[in-house]
Amino acid sequence: MSPRTRRATPEETRQIAARAAQMRCDDCGASPGEPCPRPGRGRSVCRSRFIAGAIAIRRQEKAVRRTPEQEAEQAAILAGLPRVPKAEIEKCRTPAGGYAFTRAWFLEHGLPYPPVPGWRQAVEQEGGRDGC
């Protein structure tokens, strides 16, 4: 069974929920450290916040395995990416809440395809022109 599909152990679930509680919740708008008002049955945080916490933990684990040279290379790539207005990125959001970026969208905005990890946080800027 793939590690991506196996169920989290109770200890991992507690770690993920604790990490998620330190993040802002996009579903209910809870600030970091604030509990979600309606997290769902059997949950301490909203599902999207829980998933974001799991992703953050996975990224942290991957970062520990990277060499300093790999880390510096990725930081240089991210620093050199052009900025994209946040409104333009949000325009590509699907009705289900995900994003529908295409290869053409990346190339149109001068971004590498396939995207490098952390690209969205590196290119997102407040304000700017509108349009996807």
Side-chain angles (χ1 to χ4, degrees), residues 56-71:
I57 287 175
R58 185 176 299 249
R59 283 184 181 157
Q60 195 174 24
E61 289 170 353
K62 280 185 177 181
V64 169
R65 293 191 304 257
R66 281 190 218 118
T67 65
E69 294 83 20
Q70 290 171 326
E71 197 69 41

Side-chain angles (χ1 to χ4, degrees), residues 98-121:
Y99 291 95
F101 297 110
T102 62
R103 182 173 193 246
W105 187 90
F106 280 101
L107 298 177
E108 178 184 323
H109 291 86
L111 299 170
Y113 187 86
V116 294
W119 73 270
R120 200 175 84 214
Q121 292 80 9

Side-chain angles (χ1 to χ4, degrees), residues 5 7 9 16 38 41 45-46 50 64-65 86 88 95-96 101 106 111 123-124 131:
T5 58
R7 292 184 61 83
T9 65
I16 294 169
R38 295 180 308 277
R41 190 172 150 219
V45 294
C46 290
F50 184 85
V64 169
R65 293 191 304 257
K86 188 173 184 169
E88 205 163 316
F101 297 110
F106 280 101
L111 299 170
V123 304
E124 214 171 71

Side-chain angles (χ1 to χ4, degrees), residues 34-96:
E34 259 183 30
C36 292
R38 295 180 308 277
R41 190 172 150 219
R43 294 185 175 274
S44 59
V45 294
C46 290
R47 183 171 187 215
S48 65
R49 196 176 189 185
F50 184 85
I51 291 170
I55 290 170
I57 287 175
R58 185 176 299 249
R59 283 184 181 157
Q60 195 174 24
E61 289 170 353
K62 280 185 177 181
V64 169
R65 293 191 304 257
R66 281 190 218 118
T67 65
E69 294 83 20
Q70 290 171 326
E71 197 69 41
E73 181 182 346
Q74 185 173 1
I77 290 169
L78 293 175
L81 294 177
R83 300 294 172 244
V84 178
K86 188 173 184 169
E88 205 163 316
I89 292 172
E90 287 301 315
K91 254 188 143 175
C92 295
R93 193 176 277 276
T94 65

